[in-house]
Structures are given as C-alpha cells and as structure tokens.
Amino acid sequence: MQSYIIEGGYPLKGEIRVQGSKNAVLPLVAAALLNEGTTVLNGCPDISDVDKMLEIIRHFGCEAYQDRDSGTITINAASVHCEDIPEDMVRSFRGSMLFMGVMLARCGHIEMNYPGGCMIGERPVNYHLDAFREMGADVVYGKDNIVCTCKTLKGCKIALPFPSVGATENVILAAVKAVGTTMIINAAMEPEVAELCNMLCLMGADIKGIGSKIILIRKGIEKRNIRYTVMSDRIVVGTYAYAAAVTGGDISCIVNRQDIMTGISVLCKRMGIKLKYGNDYVRIISGKNITSIPYIKTEPYPGFPTDMQSQLMSVLSLGNGMSVIEESIFEKRYHIVSELLKMGADIRTEGNRAYICGVKSLKGAKLEVKDLRGGAALIIAGLAADGTTTVLDPGYIDRGYEKIADNLSELGGNIHLA
Ligand code: EPU
C-alpha cells in the first residue's frame, strides 16, 4: 500500500491554482445525461470520484471524453441506454445516488443498490425517496436495492425535513423533466447546488430562487451544446489555508469565485489567520499562534462546513487553549481523533462533541486514514509535526484532492508519495 510521507516543520509559501470542486462537478456530470446536445465542463478536478462518475455515464451509453491536462470533460448524451447500474459502481461512492433523479427523469425507471461513500455516519436516502414518491414515482426498496419507476414525474411542493445537499440536487435533477412546477422548501443553499441550477438553466431549465431556501423548478431542458466552468473547490482552499496556518506560512490560492471562503473565513479570523482577497485569489497569512475556539458547531451553508471539521481539529490541536467542536451533520466524523492522539494531541470526545486542549507541538507518527477529509486533516497535522509522519492509504484522499502532495510540495511542504 502506498503512503504519504511527510517531514513536518516547513512553512508553506507561494501561490497555487485550486482545483475545481468535487461536490460541484459530480452533479454537473450527472446533469449532462439530461442534455441530448454536448456538454463541455471546464475546470474539472482530476480525482477518482470523477473517474467513477464517468464510468457510470459510459455504462449508460454516453460518450464521455476527459482531457486530464486541461481539466475538460466532454459528454454527449444523445443516446442513453436505460439500464440498471452495476453494484460495484454504485457502492464505491456517494455521488452515484444522483443518477436516481437523472434516470427517473430520462428513462422513467432505475434500479440500483444503496450508494457508498465515506463512512462518516448512517447516511440514509429517505429524503430522496420520499421526494420521488411525492413526484409520482413508485419507489420500492429492500435491504440491498432500490427500484424507482414513473411514467410521468409531476411537479409538486416538497418540504425537506433537513436541507440535504444530495436530496436537493436529486429533486432538482428530476424536476427539470417533470410536468408542472416543483417547489423545494428548506433546500440546501450550498454553492454546489447553485452550480447545478446554473448549468441546468444553460440547458434550458427554468429555475428560480437559486442559492436560497426555496427553489422553484419548471421543466424546459432542450437539446443544446453548452459549456460550463466548475467553481473552485472551497473545501480544498480551506484545507490549504489550514495547512498554511499550522506551518506559519503565507500562501495565495487562485480561485474563480470571490465568495469562496464563506463559512470558513470567520473562523480563520478568530484563530488569528489573516485573509486578503484579490479578484482571483485569496491570500492566507498565518498568525503567530493559533487562537483556540471556545465553541464551534458544523452547520449547513452558510455555516461552518462539516467537510472542514476534521481539518479544523488538526489546527486546534495546536491552539493556545481549550476548543470545543460540535459535529451536527454526520455522527461518525471523529475518525481522526485516535490518530491525532498518536501524535501527542490532547482530545476527548463525548457524543458529537470533541474537546481539544491545544498542545505546543505534535510529533510524527504512522497514521491510518478512514475518510477523505480526515485524510487531509492528518496531512495538515503531519506538515506541522516534529519528525516524520506516514499517512497510510492515500486512496481516500485521492477521491477528492487532485495531486495534493505535488501541490503542497510546490508550496514548500516536504511531502511525497511512496
Ligand atoms: N440525510 C438523511 N436522509 C437523507 C439524506 C440526508 O437523513 O435522505 C441526513 C444525513 O445523514 C446527514 C444530513 O442529512 O446527517 C446531511 O446530509 P446531506 O444529504 O446534505 O449530505 P450528502 O448529500 O450525502 C454532501 C457532500 C458531502 C458533504 C454533505 C454536507 C457530495 C457528493 N457530498 O453529502 O461531502 O459533507 O453534502 O455538506 O456532495 C465530502 O466531500 O467529504 C463529503 C462528505
């Protein structure tokens, strides 16, 4: 098994272009299946979750070409085979769930297993299935698989019990082919959801309330040739920002959105990390010390994102006092605690709260990765630690971070894959 080997203590300095967003590009690839014209996506990250998404697209008979150097993906979905998705393709990642809304819309039928993804909680799909039922679909599910069938999807009012990102996206994907208007109440407001809406509008859909809690969707997808540039990955920017912070660094991240640090910036300031913005970059300047955070809770956008919680824990391990994190989205997102303890961190968990007492320094250790963001967090800890850190099983990290070792090395970090 390969590992990331990190020698800690090198401050990150310089400039880096940030990859396109994983959680934005996955629904965009799924949405391309609804367009009988050609969809060109620019700025796509070269990560394994995207490869898996394209594998499924091709399984449905679409043409999909990926130019890894330029980050361009070209998809032609003029003809689609209405088939079930093989189990191994579905179970390997969460993004596969989005094909349920798409295939229901395009073919009126889909049978698939439950999606996989990082084991950060139970991750049920009941909101998705309940919504499809409300839209007129016949939904039958057992222990292993789900079958959804619908002759005509009907627009309706769907009140989500929680602003689920995936359920909001799935309903939108189905609703752009439904008869009548669909209203989603309590929709997820994450910018990745807005990205999906914006691209569907380019394809001819009529969507109002983009980026808000209430979204109105009318059908209108036409055969169009479209081009869309994926937003920069806000979680990757945040990850590099924290890596800069713990190493006493000063880096600039080139991004294609100005609001990229929403939800993350407030906490940066509270920890003593300075941010400066230009038209196409955010500069991150670490403070002398990391100021502890008495209490922070993960929340749906625009709150502090759960996808930054593990990385925050690594940073606060080096804080100047006691910090408390409450994880409110995923109940099993504290996998890294056992690994940070090996490095000399002082952390205790109680239910969904973690109590982190900052220590002066961390020491290098051999660490196991159990989920994507946890893996990134351990790299951050390794960059700050004294001595050598080995982060085992990079497969998790490669699901969402493009060339993370190369990028950090370019910034002066001492990290390589071996
Ligand atoms: N939930 C339900 N029932 C459902 C759907 C969700 O109970 O039918 C619950 C979940 O168990 C969770 C909460 O609602 O407690 C939020 O889940 P959500 O549906 O918003 O998450 P997701 O769509 O499965 C996406 C991202 C995650 C990110 C979350 C929250 C993708 C592919 N994944 O997941 O990204 O953490 O939204 O922002 O977009 C990551 O990138 O590392 C990652 C895990």
Side-chain angles (χ1 to χ4, degrees), residues 53 116 179 230 237 240 297 307 316 319 344 352 377 398:
M53 211 70 190
V179 175
V230 181
V237 179
Y240 288 148
K297 180 179 167 185
D307 291 346
L316 294 177
N352 65 350
D398 298 345

Side-chain angles (χ1 to χ4, degrees), residues 333-353:
R333 219 171 192 178
Y334 286 143
H335 291 306
I336 64 162
V337 172
S338 58
E339 308 309 292
L340 290 175
L341 292 179
K342 289 181 196 164
M343 303 180 84
D346 182 353
I347 305 171
R348 163 176 77 79
T349 57
E350 229 176 78
N352 65 350
R353 284 191 179 203

Side-chain angles (χ1 to χ4, degrees), residues 241-292:
Y242 284 3
V246 292
T247 59
D250 178 349
I251 66 166
S252 291
C253 291
I254 302 174
V255 291
N256 60 10
R257 290 180 66 129
Q258 291 237 306
D259 58 350
I260 201 86
M261 294 295 272
T262 304
I264 305 172
S265 60
V266 178
L267 215 57
C268 282
K269 281 176 205 148
R270 284 173 63 192
M271 289 192 290
I273 304 162
K274 285 199 197 86
L275 300 176
K276 287 191 177 167
Y277 297 92
N279 276 343
D280 66 344
Y281 70 88
V282 49
R283 182 172 164 201
I284 300 110
I285 308 157
S286 68
K288 276 208 176 86
N289 298 304
I290 303 291
T291 308
S292 295

Side-chain angles (χ1 to χ4, degrees), residues 307-356:
D307 291 346
M308 284 300 299
Q309 182 263 111
S310 302
Q311 300 90 314
L312 178 68
M313 185 177 275
S314 288
V315 178
L316 294 177
S317 295
L318 291 161
N320 63 356
M322 175 65 99
S323 300
V324 180
I325 299 180
E326 184 170 326
E327 172 54 63
S328 77
I329 312 289
F330 292 112
E331 66 277 13
K332 286 191 192 144
R333 219 171 192 178
Y334 286 143
H335 291 306
I336 64 162
V337 172
S338 58
E339 308 309 292
L340 290 175
L341 292 179
K342 289 181 196 164
M343 303 180 84
D346 182 353
I347 305 171
R348 163 176 77 79
T349 57
E350 229 176 78
N352 65 350
R353 284 191 179 203
Y355 298 84
I356 305 147

Side-chain angles (χ1 to χ4, degrees), residues 22-23 94 123-127 164-166 307 329 373:
K22 168 179 88 77
N23 289 346
R94 184 78 184 173
R123 306 189 84 177
V125 293
N126 54 327
Y127 304 159
S164 154
V165 172
D307 291 346
I329 312 289
R373 306 300 171 191

